[in-house]
Amino acid sequence: MKKFDPHALRREFPIFNRKIFGKPLTYLDSAASAQKPRILLESLKSFFENHYANIHRGVYLLSFEATEMYEAARNKVAQYLGTQNPKEIVFVRGATEGINLVATCFGKTFVHEGDEILISHLEHHSNIVPWQMMVEERGAHLKVIPINQNGDLDLEAYQKLLTKKTRMVAVTHVSNALGTVNPIRTLSDLAHKRGAKILVDGAQALAHAPTNVCELDCDFYVFSGHKLYGPNGIGAVYGKKELWEKLPPYQGGGDMIESVTFEKTTYAHVPQKFEAGTPNIAGAIGLGAVIDFLKTLDWESIKIHEKNMVDLILKGLAEFPQVKLIGMPTQRMGVVSFVIDAIHPHDIGTILDREGIAIRAGHHCAQPLMDFFKIPATVRASVGIYTTPEDIQTFIVGIKKVLEVFKL
Amino acid sequence: MKKFDPHALRREFPIFNRKIFGKPLTYLDSAASAQKPRILLESLKSFFENHYANIHRGVYLLSFEATEMYEAARNKVAQYLGTQNPKEIVFVRGATEGINLVATCFGKTFVHEGDEILISHLEHHSNIVPWQMMVEERGAHLKVIPINQNGDLDLEAYQKLLTKKTRMVAVTHVSNALGTVNPIRTLSDLAHKRGAKILVDGAQALAHAPTNVCELDCDFYVFSGHKLYGPNGIGAVYGKKELWEKLPPYQGGGDMIESVTFEKTTYAHVPQKFEAGTPNIAGAIGLGAVIDFLKTLDWESIKIHEKNMVDLILKGLAEFPQVKLIGMPTQRMGVVSFVIDAIHPHDIGTILDREGIAIRAGHHCAQPLMDFFKIPATVRASVGIYTTPEDIQTFIVGIKKVLEVFKL
Amino acid sequence: MSDLEDLYQELILDHSRHPRNFGHIEKPTCEAQGYNPLCGDKINLSIKIQDGVINDVKFEGSGCAISTAAASMLTEEMKGKKINEVDPIFQAFHSLVTGSDKKTDIDLGKLASMEGVKEFPMRVKCATLSWHTLKAALEKKEEIVSTE
Amino acid sequence: MSDLEDLYQELILDHSRHPRNFGHIEKPTCEAQGYNPLCGDKINLSIKIQDGVINDVKFEGSGCAISTAAASMLTEEMKGKKINEVDPIFQAFHSLVTGSDKKTDIDLGKLASMEGVKEFPMRVKCATLSWHTLKAALEKKEEIVSTE
Ligand SMILES: Cc1ncc(COP(=O)(O)O)c(C=O)c1O
Ligand SMILES: Cc1ncc(COP(=O)(O)O)c(C=O)c1O
């Protein structure tokens, strides 16, 4: 384990050589997607130039190597999530597909008319719409755990909403819009006590700290590779084996079958059953390489460092009376959202962009949350393992510039 | 347009420097997945190191660039498929997901109890299982267009099977197991006359010749990037705009919505409606770069060359009385399947592998087709734009070696 | 002047803060909704037409400074214009904000102050949202106009 | 001898062409199906056990030379063995075909001829399919054993 040094780590990310309007890149949009370490491209290069072939069923060396590399990636994901059984890991395109897969397949087996699915008011559209679609098809109902003005879940209300009809609780680990960290273990214990299952949307959490699905005791955990410094088009769903085995397949095609006749098709075992067609082989392998890289990092120091960066943002913004923070969660990770009275987030984004600063302005795919705070959009700054104090300083100077341009 | 020279072209594919058991790589498994030109890695490198960000809704330069690159890739795919309207192109993981998407969404809108879906006996599992799953859910029926011993579709039977109940004809453009080229335009004219729609599985076709969906007059056309010398985890579905607009969304999540409340969600326009969540941005851009590369090639010469390679294989195999060809389609592209009495394809694969020759041995995800020929598996040799006469020679010598090892 | 000061010049800031003709016309001849998913801007444009002339036009909605100012200026400039003048003016305006070279002798009035947008290709959609909405209203399109 | 000649040696070719104990036992004590999705090999193993001893064992199915020869030899070697001898023999066989270093003094008989598999890691599953199926049969597992 190397001593953590954000400036040294940053050099592993080639994009920071890029100039934006002649200025260095200040990237504060890791929550939308993280930048890529050098190792990712190296692993793709090595795979494409030395080992590329389709996997499974290949009887020649390249295909054998590709298969081993793909399955090794599954292993790495399993270990990174804290499970010993790689068969509990299903590769998908990303968190969105993962949630759709679970909603659809879990729904078919376990959700009947009148049943309830519980989500929270903090959720990303990806953890709302798939459940809406499923409950509508199955005559079930969607219930919403309320939040308070800080952006924390209302745990008392949660307990009341959990009933015998609740089949699934689907909550985010960390809110992408506010940074709220949810008390997952508490939520899953309560859900299980009521006989409900729990899916955790880990899209925003995993990049800030390794997690352990066994300690969380969740039934499903989903994430996207591209937010974990990995490639696009790959992500994974962890699911408890007993549960996976009860679910029908999601998509049909090659590799997910055991045998096909026109009359009857039997399906392969988990996880192949849920991976129809040629998967994103290079994507999985690239994700595995990035996980190897992440495992060499000193996460205790990174957690402290990222918290410091978030605190610096909060402190810097506090200097401007015009700035209003949105959400003050008890536990926060990676993200700060705010608005400036009389300046639309989009205009703030444009002005910061000319300073080389990348932030996100918008509803962050969390419109119900925006509605809760009665705003159409926020400005969101989010940090990553490569964020430096200089980034935050540039950002705060940028905000000053925004106020100047708008003569506020 | 450069004069076509397979040896020069081959140098664009770095994997051919790889040695397999000390021998040069003889890659005859392009039908499973094609090798990657240098340009693919260059485009990924350039994207990740200079322009990487999440797309859509980003107000800063990197995100703007990434969005433009992603949408430019959609344009390239549209043009390569012969449509002027990029909104008719939906990015998916690959052919399998594409067919699942169409089967599910088309089914929900257009398929009712007692309706019929027509597939052929030539299909890959990917063009069988999604339809099986859909018809079962909707109380509809799957009908199968028979083939003859050559592996050609029985067109008379097709016309009889087309009835007023037929909602969709789903056929492969080129058979991955036999190489049969289907007369798509004839099939679609007949389907349309009966009021049915037609989906064409282009997974095997596009790598051997550019196609034009307007000339084929198909309603949907699907393909996988990885078989088109492009990256994994990306493919596309072309669909006629009027049809796309009638289909409900497939997966729910970010980017596919217009607005979300807990009560009601309205969906975005086509194609965003069908691309929930962060797509495989780098994959699409890489595919676009590969398509640019493919467009510089002299396809008339390539078609002749690939045909010559296939003919060389057929001629070489004809020397061995022990070899029995499976399928003798009237029109063939890219693929030769055969068996050797008393030697299992898997053993043939292993022996060839030691000579550096990569072929596929198995049912090629076409078990019903194997059942038709009353065999469990075949050996399949398939060619690509980089295949040389030397490859074929090595392969034929390899087959001789197989017979020697088995003392036949 | 810097690009930014050019974009967010006094006149534009003023229109964005104090939009003119903000509201909804009672019993409009036609109206339309516009939506820019990029920044979430929404606009409603209602119009009163008499004898082929735009007698009154108002807008409602929330948006960024550029889209609000553009809508506000649009209402000012379009009032009293003939319907068949709309297209050429929109085209001239579009050329202006995209920085295209097309010469035109159309007088854009205050709209000319939006020239700074041309250095911000990402913001062209903000500047033109109200225009697309106007066109939709005149063509009596039912669906919501989207700039994507 | 080359790797290939070592793998496809006379004894193995002979067993693959003329598999011993091919068929199905009537009223077996237990049986199981094995499936190797890699090459599509399918095998059915039926066993007659008396007083803890494998009295008879037969196999049916289609497969590559390696899996057929392995199954054929398995039936020959297992006949007359006590049930509790199966595991150690399988383990010794597994070490042999994977080339692991584990020393053992178990006499593998004809099975020893499969040592060549160790140079072909892709074929280990072919060599062990019948063994996994045997174990499943003895444990009276219902589901089809898959090597994946
Ligand atoms: C909390 C949360 N869930 C789900 C998603 C969806 O992830 P993806 O777009 O990679 O599928 C995101 C990312 O935007 C997110 O932040
Ligand atoms: C004819 C045909 N259709 C569909 C597929 C499925 O493609 P993919 O595995 O890329 O989804 C294949 C590839 O194996 C194929 O050959």
Side-chain angles (χ1 to χ4, degrees):
Chain A
M1 195 108 41
K2 287 167 261 174
K3 178 83 193 71
F4 174 66
D5 166 1
H7 295 91
L9 190 54
R10 194 180 176 94
R11 285 192 290 274
E12 294 298 316
F13 294 78
I15 201 157
F16 291 110
N17 296 322
R18 168 78 195 262
K19 293 280 178 292
I20 305 291
F21 301 112
K23 311 231 165 75
L25 170 62
T26 301
Y27 191 72
L28 294 173
D29 196 24
S30 292
S33 201
Q35 294 297 342
K36 312 306 173 202
R38 200 181 309 279
I39 188 79
L40 171 59
L41 215 82
E42 284 165 11
S43 95
L44 294 178
K45 185 175 164 72
S46 153
F47 178 52
F48 282 139
E49 300 195 345
N50 295 297
H51 311 285
Y52 185 76
N54 209 332
I55 58 171
H56 299 319
R57 297 160 203 271
V59 294
Y60 53 90
L61 187 64
L62 285 182
S63 177
F64 180 69
E65 289 172 354
T67 306
E68 298 266 298
M69 290 167 81
Y70 179 73
E71 293 301 332
R74 194 192 302 281
N75 244 311
K76 291 173 194 181
V77 170
Q79 280 178 26
Y80 205 65
L81 292 181
T83 168
Q84 294 311 309
N85 187 355
K87 295 191 179 191
E88 296 189 313
I89 303 299
V90 168
F91 281 122
V92 289
R93 177 172 30 249
T96 301
E97 176 168 63
I99 297 168
N100 276 276
L101 188 162
V102 175
T104 304
C105 300
F106 182 86
K108 283 186 184 164
T109 314
F110 291 105
V111 181
H112 304 99
E113 216 180 307
D115 284 349
E116 292 175 359
I117 302 293
L118 210 49
I119 62 173
S120 93
H121 212 122
L122 287 171
E123 302 311 314
H124 186 279
H125 293 165
S126 291
N127 204 21
I128 302 174
V129 186
W131 303 108
Q132 282 182 326
M133 290 165 70
M134 186 271 276
V135 296
E136 180 169 351
E137 219 172 290
R138 311 198 63 77
H141 305 288
L142 198 63
K143 300 272 162 171
V144 183
I145 311 167
I147 53 173
N148 61 25
Q149 282 293 327
N150 288 340
D152 285 330
L153 285 190
D154 179 341
L155 288 182
E156 276 187 39
Y158 172 58
Q159 296 189 53
K160 283 186 200 132
L161 283 164
L162 266 178
T163 72
K164 275 185 296 183
K165 290 191 202 157
T166 313
R167 292 289 151 269
M168 174 69 90
V169 176
V171 285
T172 193
H173 196 165
V174 172
S175 153
N176 68 307
L178 309 183
T180 313
V181 183
N182 283 324
I184 298 298
R185 181 59 196 244
T186 308
L187 300 177
S188 52
D189 284 351
L190 288 166
H192 289 148
K193 224 182 268 173
R194 275 299 195 167
K197 304 296 176 196
I198 183 165
L199 172 141
V200 178
D201 174 357
Q204 287 299 330
L206 212 51
H208 301 298
T211 199
N212 186 306
V213 290
C214 297
E215 283 169 20
L216 296 178
D217 196 22
C218 54
D219 300 287
F220 294 100
Y221 194 93
V222 303
F223 76 94
S224 300
H226 71 94
K227 294 187 200 262
L228 190 62
Y229 310 98
N232 297 123
I234 191 79
V237 185
Y238 154 84
K240 286 188 182 158
K241 186 143 186 292
E242 326 70 272
L243 260 172
W244 273 138
E245 281 172 353
K246 286 182 188 144
L247 302 194
Y250 182 53
Q251 299 178 332
D255 282 331
M256 55 72 76
I257 58 96
E258 188 175 278
S259 81
V260 174
T261 67
F262 291 126
E263 293 74 37
K264 190 174 160 54
T265 291
T266 58
Y267 301 117
H269 290 283
V270 181
Q272 277 73 28
K273 181 177 176 181
F274 297 101
E275 294 182 2
T278 304
N280 188 349
I281 308 169
I285 291 170
L287 176 60
V290 169
I291 287 178
D292 281 344
F293 164 76
L294 295 176
K295 285 206 298 209
T296 67
L297 304 180
D298 171 4
W299 281 96
E300 286 315 309
S301 304
I302 289 178
K303 278 189 258 182
I304 294 167
H305 173 73
E306 287 196 356
K307 189 174 179 329
N308 289 341
M309 296 303 101
V310 166
D311 288 345
L312 271 185
I313 295 175
L314 293 171
K315 193 162 148 258
L317 290 178
E319 301 292 309
F320 306 110
Q322 304 92 329
V323 167
K324 191 178 146 215
L325 294 178
I326 302 299
M328 255 304 171
T330 313
Q331 239 200 307
R332 182 201 290 268
M333 234 179 201
V335 166
V336 175
S337 251
F338 64 94
V339 294
I340 301 182
D341 263 355
I343 314 185
H344 191 282
H346 203 175
D347 294 309
I348 299 173
T350 291
I351 297 168
L352 293 178
D353 185 31
R354 291 283 147 151
E355 306 297 316
I357 305 160
I359 53 82
R360 196 108 319 212
H363 54 54
H364 317 298
C365 293
Q367 285 184 349
L369 186 60
M370 298 295 116
D371 293 345
F372 175 82
F373 286 106
K374 299 195 175 55
I375 45 176
T378 77
V379 178
R380 180 186 73 183
S382 56
V383 306
I385 55 178
Y386 36 57
T387 305
T388 61
E390 292 77 14
D391 284 334
I392 311 300
Q393 213 175 336
T394 307
F395 167 68
I396 296 299
V397 172
I399 294 294
K400 197 171 289 169
K401 170 95 188 211
V402 169
L403 297 171
E404 276 166 27
V405 169
F406 270 75
K407 308 193 171 67
L408 281 180
Chain B
M1 195 111 39
K2 288 168 258 174
K3 178 83 192 73
F4 174 66
D5 167 0
H7 296 92
L9 190 52
R10 195 179 175 94
R11 284 192 290 276
E12 293 299 316
F13 293 78
I15 200 155
F16 290 110
N17 296 322
R18 168 79 195 262
K19 291 280 177 292
I20 305 290
F21 302 113
K23 312 232 165 74
L25 170 62
T26 301
Y27 190 72
L28 294 173
D29 196 23
S30 292
S33 202
Q35 294 299 341
K36 312 306 173 203
R38 199 181 310 279
I39 189 80
L40 171 58
L41 215 84
E42 283 165 13
S43 94
L44 295 179
K45 186 174 163 70
S46 153
F47 178 51
F48 283 140
E49 300 196 344
N50 295 297
H51 311 284
Y52 185 76
N54 209 331
I55 58 170
H56 299 319
R57 296 161 204 272
V59 294
Y60 53 89
L61 187 64
L62 286 183
S63 177
F64 181 69
E65 289 172 354
T67 305
E68 298 266 299
M69 290 167 82
Y70 179 73
E71 293 301 332
R74 194 192 303 279
N75 244 310
K76 292 173 192 180
V77 170
Q79 280 178 24
Y80 204 64
L81 292 182
T83 168
Q84 294 311 309
N85 188 355
K87 296 193 177 185
E88 297 189 314
I89 302 298
V90 168
F91 280 121
V92 289
R93 177 171 31 250
T96 301
E97 176 168 62
I99 297 168
N100 276 275
L101 188 162
V102 176
T104 304
C105 300
F106 182 85
K108 283 187 184 162
T109 313
F110 291 105
V111 181
H112 303 100
E113 217 179 307
D115 284 348
E116 293 175 359
I117 302 293
L118 209 49
I119 61 172
S120 94
H121 212 124
L122 287 171
E123 303 310 315
H124 187 280
H125 293 165
S126 291
N127 204 21
I128 302 173
V129 185
W131 302 108
Q132 284 183 323
M133 291 166 69
M134 187 270 275
V135 296
E136 180 169 349
E137 220 171 289
R138 310 198 65 77
H141 305 289
L142 198 63
K143 301 273 161 170
V144 182
I145 311 166
I147 53 172
N148 62 26
Q149 282 295 326
N150 288 340
D152 286 329
L153 285 191
D154 180 340
L155 287 183
E156 274 186 41
Y158 172 58
Q159 298 189 49
K160 282 187 200 131
L161 283 164
L162 266 179
T163 72
K164 273 184 295 182
K165 291 190 201 156
T166 313
R167 292 289 153 268
M168 173 70 89
V169 177
V171 284
T172 193
H173 197 167
V174 171
S175 152
N176 69 308
L178 309 182
T180 313
V181 182
N182 283 325
I184 298 299
R185 181 59 196 244
T186 307
L187 300 177
S188 53
D189 284 349
L190 288 166
H192 289 148
K193 223 182 273 175
R194 275 299 196 170
K197 304 295 176 196
I198 183 165
L199 172 143
V200 177
D201 174 357
Q204 287 299 330
L206 212 51
H208 300 300
T211 200
N212 185 308
V213 292
C214 297
E215 283 168 21
L216 297 177
D217 196 22
C218 54
D219 300 289
F220 294 100
Y221 194 93
V222 303
F223 76 94
S224 299
H226 72 95
K227 294 188 199 262
L228 190 63
Y229 309 98
N232 297 121
I234 191 80
V237 184
Y238 155 83
K240 286 186 182 159
K241 186 145 186 288
E242 323 77 87
L243 260 171
W244 274 137
E245 281 172 354
K246 287 183 187 142
L247 302 193
Y250 183 53
Q251 300 178 332
D255 283 330
M256 54 72 76
I257 58 96
E258 188 176 278
S259 81
V260 174
T261 66
F262 291 125
E263 293 74 37
K264 188 174 163 50
T265 290
T266 57
Y267 301 117
H269 289 282
V270 179
Q272 277 74 29
K273 179 177 176 182
F274 297 101
E275 293 182 4
T278 304
N280 188 350
I281 309 169
I285 291 169
L287 176 60
V290 169
I291 286 179
D292 281 343
F293 164 76
L294 294 176
K295 284 207 297 208
T296 67
L297 303 180
D298 171 5
W299 281 95
E300 285 316 309
S301 304
I302 289 178
K303 278 190 256 181
I304 294 167
H305 173 72
E306 287 196 358
K307 186 171 182 330
N308 289 341
M309 296 302 102
V310 166
D311 288 345
L312 271 185
I313 296 175
L314 292 170
K315 192 161 149 259
L317 291 178
E319 301 293 309
F320 307 109
Q322 303 94 328
V323 167
K324 192 179 146 212
L325 294 177
I326 301 299
M328 255 305 169
T330 311
Q331 239 201 306
R332 182 200 288 271
M333 234 178 203
V335 166
V336 175
S337 250
F338 63 94
V339 293
I340 301 183
D341 263 354
I343 314 184
H344 191 282
H346 203 175
D347 295 309
I348 299 172
T350 292
I351 298 169
L352 293 178
D353 184 30
R354 291 283 146 150
E355 306 297 316
I357 305 160
I359 53 82
R360 192 107 322 209
H363 55 53
H364 317 298
C365 294
Q367 285 184 350
L369 186 60
M370 298 294 116
D371 293 346
F372 174 82
F373 286 106
K374 300 195 172 57
I375 46 176
T378 77
V379 178
R380 180 186 72 183
S382 56
V383 306
I385 54 177
Y386 35 58
T387 306
T388 61
E390 292 78 15
D391 284 334
I392 312 300
Q393 213 175 337
T394 308
F395 167 68
I396 296 298
V397 173
I399 294 294
K400 198 171 285 168
K401 169 97 186 211
V402 170
L403 297 170
E404 278 166 26
V405 169
F406 269 76
K407 305 188 174 70
L408 281 180
Chain C
M1 252 200 315
S2 85
D3 286 354
L4 277 174
E5 285 160 351
D6 208 9
L7 181 66
Y8 294 108
Q9 52 183 270
E10 201 57 66
L11 187 64
I12 290 175
L13 289 183
D14 179 54
H15 271 265
S16 80
R17 284 173 188 153
H18 312 290
R20 323 300 198 259
N21 302 307
F22 193 84
H24 189 259
I25 295 175
E26 267 186 47
K27 299 203 188 142
T29 317
C30 55
E31 66 182 312
Q33 272 78 42
Y35 177 57
N36 178 355
L38 186 66
C39 53
D41 289 0
K42 276 181 201 146
I43 184 178
N44 177 295
L45 212 69
S46 49
I47 307 169
K48 189 135 231 157
I49 297 171
Q50 215 159 24
D51 303 329
V53 172
I54 297 177
N55 243 337
D56 199 7
V57 48
K58 287 192 172 171
F59 85 102
E60 266 178 332
S62 70
C64 62
I66 307 302
S67 81
T68 306
S72 170
M73 291 178 182
L74 174 149
T75 59
E76 285 204 332
E77 293 294 327
M78 285 302 103
K79 231 186 259 188
K81 290 281 189 302
K82 293 203 195 91
I83 286 179
N84 57 16
E85 286 177 285
V86 170
D87 247 20
I89 298 179
F90 178 25
Q91 262 160 45
F93 179 71
H94 197 271
S95 297
L96 180 82
V97 296
T98 53
S100 100
D101 271 345
K102 269 189 236 139
K103 284 273 170 302
T104 162
D105 42 8
I106 287 176
D107 176 17
L108 285 166
K110 279 182 193 159
L111 292 169
S113 67
M114 303 224 81
E115 186 175 359
V117 171
K118 74 176 184 219
E119 298 299 329
F120 295 80
M122 281 169 271
R123 305 307 295 276
V124 168
K125 285 176 178 177
C126 305
T128 55
L129 175 63
S130 48
W131 286 92
H132 287 290
T133 311
L134 173 64
K135 284 198 62 175
L138 295 177
E139 293 164 16
K140 295 212 164 65
K141 276 194 194 156
E142 279 296 317
E143 63 173 330
I144 296 174
V145 185
S146 166
T147 55
E148 258 190 348
Chain D
M1 247 198 324
S2 83
D3 286 354
L4 276 173
E5 285 160 349
D6 207 10
L7 181 67
Y8 294 108
Q9 53 183 268
E10 202 57 65
L11 187 65
I12 289 176
L13 289 183
D14 179 53
H15 271 263
S16 79
R17 283 174 188 152
H18 312 290
R20 324 299 200 259
N21 303 306
F22 193 84
H24 189 259
I25 295 174
E26 269 186 46
K27 297 200 189 145
T29 317
C30 55
E31 66 182 312
Q33 272 78 44
Y35 177 57
N36 179 354
L38 187 65
C39 53
D41 288 2
K42 276 181 201 146
I43 185 179
N44 176 295
L45 212 70
S46 50
I47 308 168
K48 189 136 234 157
I49 297 171
Q50 217 160 20
D51 304 329
V53 172
I54 295 176
N55 243 337
D56 198 7
V57 47
K58 287 193 172 168
F59 84 101
E60 266 177 334
S62 71
C64 64
I66 307 302
S67 82
T68 306
S72 170
M73 291 178 181
L74 173 149
T75 59
E76 285 204 331
E77 293 295 327
M78 285 303 102
K79 231 185 256 186
K81 288 283 190 300
K82 294 204 195 90
I83 284 179
N84 59 15
E85 286 176 288
V86 170
D87 247 19
I89 298 180
F90 178 25
Q91 263 161 44
F93 179 72
H94 197 272
S95 297
L96 180 83
V97 296
T98 53
S100 100
D101 271 345
K102 270 188 234 140
K103 283 275 169 301
T104 164
D105 42 9
I106 287 175
D107 176 17
L108 284 166
K110 280 181 194 159
L111 292 169
S113 66
M114 303 224 78
E115 186 174 359
V117 172
K118 74 178 184 214
E119 298 299 331
F120 296 80
M122 280 168 271
R123 306 306 296 274
V124 169
K125 285 177 177 175
C126 305
T128 56
L129 175 64
S130 49
W131 286 92
H132 287 291
T133 311
L134 173 64
K135 284 197 61 175
L138 295 176
E139 294 165 15
K140 292 208 166 63
K141 277 195 192 154
E142 280 294 318
E143 63 175 326
I144 296 174
V145 185
S146 166
T147 55
E148 261 191 345

